[in-house]
Amino acid sequence: MAPVEREMVVGTQGGVAAADMVLNIGPQHPSTHGVLRLRLTVDGERVTSCEPIVGYMHRGAEKLFEVRDYRQILVLANRHDWLSAFSNELGVALAVERLMGIEVPERATWLRTALAELNRVLNHLMFLGSYPLEIGAITPVFYAFRERETLQEVMEEACGGRMHYMFNRVGGLKEEVPAGWTGRARAAIDLVRRRLPDLDRLIRRNEIFLARTVGVGVLPAATAAAYGASGPVARASGLDIDLRRDEPYLAYGSLDVPVVTRAAGDCHARFEVLLDQVYASLDLAQTCLDRVDRTPGPVNVRLPKVVKAPEGHTYAWTENPLGVNGYYLVSRGEKTPYRLKLRTASYANVQALATLIPGCLVPDLIAILGSMFFVVGDIDK
């Protein structure tokens, strides 16, 4: 009698033996924007569990802060979210200024606010181009980068850098912006505002894009709050939270900050929040530039050769492009911080993947992952 062959079918739920399959997405995968690893268990085409595994590019920045003075740590803090460099360095400067009791000149405050909003637009345009690309739409990235380049020229003229600006200093800004810069910045903003509908019409209501994103990867408001999600990810789930309005810093207390929210909490809602925030931030940046022109004066304060923060501790948080960034600074009266703890937006947001991905289909995995809008350096610090 011939032997009976027993077939093990992976991932089916019929009357035959079944076995789940463990898959690794990453740690090097185009959609992870860096070395993030997802350990997935799949049953056929459906994901049953997801474990985000971080730490592959950990730089030990928080430990390095402890052996660098307050001027030097800006260059390290600048880099954890490389798409939000201006906002990163701003948070550290605000924490040190608060602990030292430094009052920043009004002109510097308005310039900082304008540059922070331009940096927010640059961050969002990157994701508005890369996210459709990850799910098969090639054209939008060219439109997004056209607008990015227009604003990058303005930022580069003011700061000297295209990605790591290093323009903030404890007490204000590195230097005054070039003569006529505010006019050129306004012209760039007007140009981007006029051309942005090209990208909007191309992708927002595209039938294929809608089919891939609407109703996919729904993050309920309660779950978003439980994981500490913030920024566009949280606001797309209906959490009406924005530190620029709720706990104003810089010049935001003098501005009417529109907070863009959606209720669906799916991939498309997250994309729409990002897109509509670009329109809002362009308006805010232009308002700030108008105020800069009417506010003469210095852009920094004179500091001693060696900057020492008095003994104590403080916490400063900012509404970075990807969400809430917190900076907990502890000083023992020396020229280096005793401790500087970063609370980054991407780290909290990506934890929600453990709840968000289980139950989805494998073809929807990349659509969900890309819609969380994270930077791996911001996770690993």
Side-chain angles (χ1 to χ4, degrees):
M1 183 176 178
V4 178
E5 294 185 0
R6 295 185 179 274
E7 182 181 10
M8 185 177 72
V9 182
V10 175
T12 61
Q13 296 177 347
V16 294
D20 290 338
M21 179 183 291
V22 176
L23 294 178
N24 281 298
I25 302 296
Q28 291 173 320
H29 188 283
S31 68
T32 61
H33 296 270
V35 281
L36 172 70
R37 175 186 170 200
L38 297 180
R39 187 179 185 275
L40 306 175
T41 304
V42 297
D43 182 3
E45 285 289 296
R46 195 166 298 278
V47 179
T48 58
S49 70
C50 169
E51 179 188 359
I53 301 174
V54 303
Y56 285 91
M57 67 175 298
H58 180 54
R59 300 185 300 119
E62 292 178 345
K63 202 65 183 172
L64 292 174
F65 292 154
E66 298 172 14
V67 292
R68 283 161 173 78
D69 67 35
Y70 288 107
R71 292 184 174 98
Q72 294 171 327
I73 60 176
L74 287 172
V75 75
L76 291 173
N78 178 285
R79 284 161 164 73
H80 55 88
D81 175 0
W82 44 78
L83 298 179
S84 310
F86 186 87
S87 300
N88 297 342
E89 62 195 47
L90 176 63
V92 174
L94 289 174
V96 179
E97 288 160 5
R98 183 175 299 174
L99 197 58
M100 295 182 66
I102 295 175
E103 185 174 346
V104 176
E106 185 181 5
R107 181 175 174 84
T109 298
W110 284 103
L111 268 172
R112 277 177 165 182
T113 311
L115 291 165
E117 289 305 310
L118 289 175
N119 191 198
R120 190 181 311 277
V121 173
L122 289 170
N123 173 289
H124 289 358
L125 284 171
M126 172 64 79
F127 287 107
L128 291 172
S130 68
Y131 180 53
L133 184 66
E134 288 163 5
I135 54 179
I138 297 173
T139 309
V141 71
F142 297 108
Y143 287 84
F145 267 73
R146 179 185 67 177
E147 312 314 331
R148 281 192 99 244
E149 191 59 35
T150 301
L151 296 176
Q152 281 283 28
E153 289 177 3
V154 169
M155 294 291 283
E156 185 177 7
E157 183 187 0
C159 308
R162 290 177 57 84
M163 179 172 273
H164 301 300
Y165 303 108
M166 279 307 298
F167 200 53
N168 281 286
R169 294 292 186 272
V170 175
L173 295 172
K174 172 187 172 186
E175 59 192 4
E176 180 59 83
V177 292
W181 178 83
T182 55
R184 291 187 290 275
R186 273 194 296 270
I189 290 171
D190 287 338
L191 181 59
V192 171
R193 190 187 286 113
R194 289 199 309 270
R195 297 191 308 200
L196 194 59
D198 294 343
L199 175 63
D200 197 324
R201 288 190 295 268
L202 184 69
I203 194 67
R204 190 196 294 255
R205 295 300 167 198
N206 181 281
E207 291 183 7
I208 300 173
F209 186 70
L210 289 171
R212 293 295 308 274
T213 57
V214 172
V216 175
V218 176
L219 179 64
T223 305
Y227 277 100
S230 59
V233 170
R235 291 195 286 272
S237 296
L239 294 181
D240 189 7
I241 301 171
D242 193 311
L243 293 181
R244 296 173 297 168
R245 178 201 63 194
D246 302 334
E247 293 197 21
Y249 57 98
L250 293 182
Y252 288 116
S254 303
L255 295 170
D256 181 15
V257 180
V259 179
V260 180
T261 61
R262 291 291 185 276
D266 57 11
C267 294
H268 193 263
R270 290 189 280 274
F271 181 86
E272 277 198 316
V273 167
L274 221 60
L275 183 55
D276 289 337
Q277 180 62 61
V278 170
Y279 290 104
S281 289
L282 288 173
D283 292 341
L284 287 172
Q286 183 151 347
T287 302
C288 291
L289 290 171
D290 293 340
R291 185 62 180 267
V292 168
D293 285 341
R294 303 195 304 269
T295 309
V299 295
N300 49 43
V301 298
R302 187 175 182 86
L303 296 175
K305 188 173 182 180
V306 178
V307 176
K308 292 184 178 181
E311 187 171 350
H313 59 91
T314 189
Y315 183 73
W317 55 353
T318 59
E319 186 69 40
N320 271 35
L322 297 183
V324 174
N325 267 29
Y327 305 82
Y328 179 57
L329 173 63
V330 181
S331 171
R332 289 190 170 176
E334 300 169 349
K335 66 178 183 178
T336 61
Y338 175 72
R339 185 80 169 90
L340 180 55
K341 174 73 174 69
L342 301 181
R343 186 273 186 208
T344 60
S346 295
Y347 183 81
N349 290 353
V350 86
Q351 305 309 310
L353 290 171
T355 298
L356 197 58
I357 288 181
C360 81
L361 296 173
V362 172
D364 291 332
L365 175 65
I366 301 305
I368 297 171
L369 185 61
S371 74
M372 295 304 283
F373 308 130
F374 58 85
V375 171
V376 173
D378 203 40
I379 298 170
D380 286 350
K381 295 174 276 191

